[in-house]
Amino acid sequence: YRNRLNASREVAPVTLPNCQLIKGIESGSEDIDILPNGLAFISSGLKYPGIKSLAPDKPGEIFLMDLKEASPRAVELRISRGFDLASFNPHGISTYVDKDDTVYLFVVNHPYHKSTVELFKFVEDDNSLVHLETIQHDLLTSVNDVVAMGPDSFYATNDHYFSDFILMFVEMFLGLPWSNVVYYSPKEVKEVAAGFYSANGINISPDRKYIYVADVFDHNIHVMEKHANWNLTHVKTLQLDTLVDNLSVDPHTGDIWTGCHPDGLKLFYHDPENLPASEVLLIQKILSEQPAVTRVYADNGSVLQGSSVASVYEGKLLIGTVFHRALYCEL
């Protein structure tokens, strides 16, 4: 159990020269997705079983940053009427740009300890999200992250087999590899990959041939080949020495950026005297025999606690966290 959580691992600090905490984001920035035009969506306010929340009574939010601006700032997006904002508990997110340039935002949501995927349309003119649909399914039991495949289809990771908190803990403690990846479309819903300890972040290669899945408790990233029937087959596994959370893919280079937890025990047993650390890895040429892994950023929790995502756009880096602040850096 301690091994899966990487307990007692320390990381040497790696600082970046041009970083600042993002104003207005105080209670998490769990996932970040950046459009080709530099607009970054940030999910905030996740309440997750066993993990600290700095604003337990406040609904979740989606923030937007325009990374083309000289000094970008975070703006909360308005959400259309009729959506249950009070129970909004956003987790992983993914964008899809349609042929007519319509931007769809998929948001994993945990209202009332359930798992749904909310589908929104982004309206740039008035910084708002129009809610289109709430997606629920028996196979979407404990959803962590999604990657959009079309305007109404996606792959999703279930990070646990069980959705009950006590059974989730037992599953994690016993190390049961019962977590999976599900493909969802209005016509078909099916399991497409299984056998993970805790499937977490998921993303797609720029050529759309490969799906990447982070297994947070197995400290690795799986490369899966995507087939015409949407099934996935295992290609290779990149083993790392940290708990890998969300995955972002640079659309130009294919590089993978990931926010990681050096010591997962600190994340679950939050001690103000021994804060959860942050770590950002850059993985280049993951399909080659010798992928290059670079530690771009590491902090002992004094600046940033519990990093969960890192995403780049034209020399600008955003680092998000499960429950804490968010960092904007110029590389």
Side-chain angles (χ1 to χ4, degrees), residues 177-210:
W178 291 359
S179 163
N180 67 0
V181 177
V182 170
Y183 171 73
Y184 176 92
S185 76
K187 293 179 185 163
E188 180 181 34
V189 188
K190 61 181 178 177
E191 179 183 86
V192 290
F196 305 97
Y197 288 100
S198 185
N200 196 295
I202 186 167
N203 219 317
I204 190 167
S205 60
D207 62 11
R208 301 187 78 75
K209 289 181 183 173
Y210 299 98

Short mmCIF file of all heavy atoms in Angstrom, two decimals, residues 177-210:
data_model
loop_
_atom_site.label_atom_id
_atom_site.label_comp_id
_atom_site.label_asym_id
_atom_site.label_seq_id
_atom_site.Cartn_x
_atom_site.Cartn_y
_atom_site.Cartn_z
N PRO A 177 -6.50 -4.76 -9.54
CA PRO A 177 -6.41 -4.10 -10.85
C PRO A 177 -7.74 -4.19 -11.62
O PRO A 177 -7.85 -4.83 -12.65
CB PRO A 177 -5.29 -4.89 -11.55
CG PRO A 177 -5.40 -6.26 -10.96
CD PRO A 177 -5.93 -6.12 -9.56
N TRP A 178 -8.76 -3.53 -11.08
CA TRP A 178 -10.11 -3.63 -11.62
C TRP A 178 -10.59 -2.35 -12.31
O TRP A 178 -11.76 -2.21 -12.63
CB TRP A 178 -11.10 -4.00 -10.50
CG TRP A 178 -10.93 -5.38 -9.98
CD1 TRP A 178 -10.02 -6.33 -10.39
CD2 TRP A 178 -11.70 -6.00 -8.94
NE1 TRP A 178 -10.17 -7.48 -9.67
CE2 TRP A 178 -11.20 -7.32 -8.77
CE3 TRP A 178 -12.75 -5.58 -8.13
CZ2 TRP A 178 -11.72 -8.21 -7.84
CZ3 TRP A 178 -13.27 -6.46 -7.19
CH2 TRP A 178 -12.77 -7.76 -7.05
N SER A 179 -9.67 -1.42 -12.49
CA SER A 179 -10.02 -0.14 -13.10
C SER A 179 -9.95 -0.27 -14.62
O SER A 179 -9.25 -1.15 -15.15
CB SER A 179 -9.04 0.90 -12.54
OG SER A 179 -9.00 2.05 -13.29
N ASN A 180 -10.67 0.61 -15.36
CA ASN A 180 -10.75 0.40 -16.81
C ASN A 180 -10.91 1.69 -17.61
O ASN A 180 -10.98 2.79 -17.05
CB ASN A 180 -11.90 -0.57 -17.13
CG ASN A 180 -13.28 0.02 -16.83
OD1 ASN A 180 -13.41 1.15 -16.37
ND2 ASN A 180 -14.32 -0.76 -17.08
N VAL A 181 -10.98 1.51 -18.94
CA VAL A 181 -11.28 2.60 -19.87
C VAL A 181 -12.53 2.21 -20.65
O VAL A 181 -12.66 1.05 -21.10
CB VAL A 181 -10.11 2.85 -20.85
CG1 VAL A 181 -10.48 3.94 -21.86
CG2 VAL A 181 -8.84 3.23 -20.09
N VAL A 182 -13.44 3.16 -20.78
CA VAL A 182 -14.72 2.93 -21.46
C VAL A 182 -14.83 3.87 -22.66
O VAL A 182 -14.42 5.03 -22.59
CB VAL A 182 -15.89 3.16 -20.48
CG1 VAL A 182 -17.24 3.17 -21.20
CG2 VAL A 182 -15.88 2.11 -19.37
N TYR A 183 -15.36 3.34 -23.77
CA TYR A 183 -15.70 4.21 -24.91
C TYR A 183 -17.20 4.50 -24.85
O TYR A 183 -18.01 3.59 -24.65
CB TYR A 183 -15.35 3.54 -26.24
CG TYR A 183 -15.88 4.30 -27.43
CD1 TYR A 183 -15.30 5.51 -27.82
CD2 TYR A 183 -16.99 3.84 -28.15
CE1 TYR A 183 -15.80 6.23 -28.89
CE2 TYR A 183 -17.50 4.56 -29.22
CZ TYR A 183 -16.91 5.76 -29.59
OH TYR A 183 -17.41 6.48 -30.64
N TYR A 184 -17.54 5.78 -25.02
CA TYR A 184 -18.96 6.17 -24.99
C TYR A 184 -19.32 6.90 -26.28
O TYR A 184 -18.63 7.83 -26.70
CB TYR A 184 -19.27 7.10 -23.81
CG TYR A 184 -20.70 7.59 -23.82
CD1 TYR A 184 -21.70 6.90 -23.13
CD2 TYR A 184 -21.07 8.69 -24.60
CE1 TYR A 184 -23.02 7.31 -23.19
CE2 TYR A 184 -22.40 9.10 -24.67
CZ TYR A 184 -23.37 8.40 -23.97
OH TYR A 184 -24.67 8.80 -24.04
N SER A 185 -20.42 6.47 -26.90
CA SER A 185 -21.08 7.26 -27.94
C SER A 185 -22.57 6.99 -27.79
O SER A 185 -22.96 6.04 -27.12
CB SER A 185 -20.60 6.85 -29.34
OG SER A 185 -21.20 5.62 -29.71
N PRO A 186 -23.43 7.83 -28.40
CA PRO A 186 -24.87 7.58 -28.28
C PRO A 186 -25.28 6.21 -28.81
O PRO A 186 -26.28 5.64 -28.38
CB PRO A 186 -25.49 8.71 -29.11
CG PRO A 186 -24.47 9.80 -29.10
CD PRO A 186 -23.14 9.10 -29.10
N LYS A 187 -24.48 5.65 -29.75
CA LYS A 187 -24.84 4.36 -30.35
C LYS A 187 -24.25 3.17 -29.61
O LYS A 187 -24.79 2.06 -29.68
CB LYS A 187 -24.34 4.31 -31.80
CG LYS A 187 -25.04 5.27 -32.73
CD LYS A 187 -24.46 5.16 -34.13
CE LYS A 187 -25.07 6.24 -35.04
NZ LYS A 187 -24.30 6.44 -36.25
N GLU A 188 -23.14 3.38 -28.93
CA GLU A 188 -22.42 2.24 -28.37
C GLU A 188 -21.63 2.67 -27.13
O GLU A 188 -20.99 3.71 -27.12
CB GLU A 188 -21.43 1.71 -29.43
CG GLU A 188 -20.63 0.53 -28.99
CD GLU A 188 -19.65 0.06 -30.07
OE1 GLU A 188 -19.13 0.91 -30.82
OE2 GLU A 188 -19.42 -1.16 -30.14
N VAL A 189 -21.71 1.85 -26.08
CA VAL A 189 -20.90 2.08 -24.87
C VAL A 189 -20.26 0.75 -24.51
O VAL A 189 -20.96 -0.26 -24.41
CB VAL A 189 -21.77 2.58 -23.69
CG1 VAL A 189 -20.88 2.99 -22.52
CG2 VAL A 189 -22.64 3.76 -24.12
N LYS A 190 -18.92 0.74 -24.35
CA LYS A 190 -18.26 -0.53 -24.05
C LYS A 190 -16.93 -0.32 -23.35
O LYS A 190 -16.29 0.74 -23.49
CB LYS A 190 -18.04 -1.33 -25.34
CG LYS A 190 -17.16 -0.64 -26.37
CD LYS A 190 -17.03 -1.49 -27.63
CE LYS A 190 -16.19 -0.79 -28.69
NZ LYS A 190 -16.00 -1.63 -29.88
N GLU A 191 -16.51 -1.33 -22.59
CA GLU A 191 -15.17 -1.34 -22.02
C GLU A 191 -14.17 -1.63 -23.13
O GLU A 191 -14.37 -2.57 -23.91
CB GLU A 191 -15.08 -2.41 -20.93
CG GLU A 191 -13.72 -2.51 -20.28
CD GLU A 191 -13.63 -3.63 -19.25
OE1 GLU A 191 -13.34 -4.78 -19.65
OE2 GLU A 191 -13.87 -3.35 -18.06
N VAL A 192 -13.10 -0.84 -23.20
CA VAL A 192 -12.13 -1.02 -24.29
C VAL A 192 -10.73 -1.35 -23.77
O VAL A 192 -9.85 -1.72 -24.55
CB VAL A 192 -12.07 0.22 -25.22
CG1 VAL A 192 -13.35 0.33 -26.04
CG2 VAL A 192 -11.81 1.50 -24.42
N ALA A 193 -10.50 -1.19 -22.48
CA ALA A 193 -9.22 -1.58 -21.87
C ALA A 193 -9.46 -1.77 -20.38
O ALA A 193 -10.26 -1.07 -19.79
CB ALA A 193 -8.16 -0.50 -22.11
N ALA A 194 -8.74 -2.74 -19.79
CA ALA A 194 -8.95 -3.04 -18.37
C ALA A 194 -7.64 -3.50 -17.75
O ALA A 194 -6.62 -3.61 -18.42
CB ALA A 194 -10.03 -4.12 -18.22
N GLY A 195 -7.68 -3.76 -16.42
CA GLY A 195 -6.51 -4.27 -15.73
C GLY A 195 -5.63 -3.20 -15.12
O GLY A 195 -4.47 -3.47 -14.79
N PHE A 196 -6.16 -1.99 -14.94
CA PHE A 196 -5.39 -0.90 -14.32
C PHE A 196 -5.64 -0.90 -12.80
O PHE A 196 -6.72 -1.26 -12.34
CB PHE A 196 -5.82 0.46 -14.88
CG PHE A 196 -5.72 0.56 -16.38
CD1 PHE A 196 -6.84 0.35 -17.17
CD2 PHE A 196 -4.53 0.87 -17.00
CE1 PHE A 196 -6.77 0.44 -18.56
CE2 PHE A 196 -4.45 0.96 -18.38
CZ PHE A 196 -5.56 0.74 -19.16
N TYR A 197 -4.66 -0.45 -12.05
CA TYR A 197 -4.87 -0.26 -10.60
C TYR A 197 -5.74 0.97 -10.37
O TYR A 197 -6.63 0.95 -9.54
CB TYR A 197 -3.53 -0.12 -9.87
CG TYR A 197 -2.78 -1.42 -9.80
CD1 TYR A 197 -1.74 -1.68 -10.69
CD2 TYR A 197 -3.13 -2.40 -8.88
CE1 TYR A 197 -1.06 -2.89 -10.65
CE2 TYR A 197 -2.46 -3.61 -8.83
CZ TYR A 197 -1.43 -3.86 -9.73
OH TYR A 197 -0.77 -5.06 -9.70
N SER A 198 -5.46 2.04 -11.10
CA SER A 198 -6.31 3.22 -11.02
C SER A 198 -6.08 4.09 -12.26
O SER A 198 -5.19 4.94 -12.29
CB SER A 198 -6.02 4.03 -9.76
OG SER A 198 -6.94 5.10 -9.65
N ALA A 199 -6.87 3.81 -13.31
CA ALA A 199 -6.74 4.58 -14.55
C ALA A 199 -7.12 6.02 -14.27
O ALA A 199 -8.18 6.30 -13.73
CB ALA A 199 -7.62 3.99 -15.63
N ASN A 200 -6.25 6.96 -14.64
CA ASN A 200 -6.45 8.35 -14.26
C ASN A 200 -6.51 9.21 -15.52
O ASN A 200 -7.49 9.17 -16.25
CB ASN A 200 -5.33 8.77 -13.30
CG ASN A 200 -5.62 10.03 -12.54
OD1 ASN A 200 -5.73 11.10 -13.14
ND2 ASN A 200 -5.76 9.94 -11.24
N GLY A 201 -5.47 10.00 -15.78
CA GLY A 201 -5.48 10.87 -16.95
C GLY A 201 -5.51 10.09 -18.25
O GLY A 201 -4.94 9.00 -18.35
N ILE A 202 -6.18 10.65 -19.25
CA ILE A 202 -6.24 10.01 -20.57
C ILE A 202 -6.13 11.10 -21.64
O ILE A 202 -6.68 12.19 -21.47
CB ILE A 202 -7.54 9.18 -20.74
CG1 ILE A 202 -7.53 8.40 -22.06
CG2 ILE A 202 -8.80 10.03 -20.61
CD1 ILE A 202 -8.61 7.32 -22.14
N ASN A 203 -5.39 10.79 -22.70
CA ASN A 203 -5.29 11.75 -23.81
C ASN A 203 -4.95 11.02 -25.09
O ASN A 203 -4.79 9.80 -25.08
CB ASN A 203 -4.27 12.85 -23.49
CG ASN A 203 -4.75 14.22 -23.99
OD1 ASN A 203 -5.26 14.34 -25.11
ND2 ASN A 203 -4.59 15.24 -23.16
N ILE A 204 -4.81 11.78 -26.19
CA ILE A 204 -4.65 11.18 -27.51
C ILE A 204 -3.45 11.81 -28.21
O ILE A 204 -3.15 13.00 -28.00
CB ILE A 204 -5.95 11.35 -28.34
CG1 ILE A 204 -5.91 10.53 -29.62
CG2 ILE A 204 -6.25 12.82 -28.62
CD1 ILE A 204 -7.26 10.40 -30.31
N SER A 205 -2.77 11.01 -29.03
CA SER A 205 -1.63 11.53 -29.79
C SER A 205 -2.12 12.47 -30.89
O SER A 205 -3.27 12.38 -31.34
CB SER A 205 -0.84 10.38 -30.41
OG SER A 205 -1.67 9.63 -31.29
N PRO A 206 -1.26 13.40 -31.36
CA PRO A 206 -1.70 14.35 -32.38
C PRO A 206 -2.20 13.69 -33.67
O PRO A 206 -3.09 14.22 -34.33
CB PRO A 206 -0.44 15.19 -32.64
CG PRO A 206 0.36 15.09 -31.38
CD PRO A 206 0.09 13.71 -30.85
N ASP A 207 -1.63 12.51 -34.02
CA ASP A 207 -2.11 11.83 -35.24
C ASP A 207 -3.37 10.99 -34.98
O ASP A 207 -3.90 10.35 -35.88
CB ASP A 207 -1.00 10.96 -35.84
CG ASP A 207 -0.54 9.85 -34.90
OD1 ASP A 207 -1.21 9.61 -33.85
OD2 ASP A 207 0.49 9.21 -35.20
N ARG A 208 -3.84 11.02 -33.73
CA ARG A 208 -5.08 10.35 -33.30
C ARG A 208 -5.03 8.83 -33.47
O ARG A 208 -6.05 8.16 -33.55
CB ARG A 208 -6.31 10.95 -34.00
CG ARG A 208 -6.46 12.43 -33.70
CD ARG A 208 -7.73 13.03 -34.23
NE ARG A 208 -8.91 12.75 -33.42
CZ ARG A 208 -9.20 13.31 -32.25
NH1 ARG A 208 -8.38 14.19 -31.71
NH2 ARG A 208 -10.31 12.99 -31.61
N LYS A 209 -3.80 8.27 -33.46
CA LYS A 209 -3.65 6.81 -33.58
C LYS A 209 -3.49 6.13 -32.22
O LYS A 209 -3.75 4.93 -32.10
CB LYS A 209 -2.42 6.48 -34.43
CG LYS A 209 -2.57 6.80 -35.91
CD LYS A 209 -1.30 6.40 -36.65
CE LYS A 209 -1.40 6.77 -38.12
NZ LYS A 209 -0.13 6.53 -38.82
N TYR A 210 -3.02 6.89 -31.23
CA TYR A 210 -2.70 6.27 -29.94
C TYR A 210 -3.42 7.00 -28.81
O TYR A 210 -3.58 8.22 -28.83
CB TYR A 210 -1.19 6.32 -29.67
CG TYR A 210 -0.39 5.55 -30.70
CD1 TYR A 210 0.20 6.21 -31.77
CD2 TYR A 210 -0.26 4.16 -30.62
CE1 TYR A 210 0.92 5.51 -32.73
CE2 TYR A 210 0.45 3.45 -31.57
CZ TYR A 210 1.04 4.13 -32.63
OH TYR A 210 1.73 3.43 -33.58
#
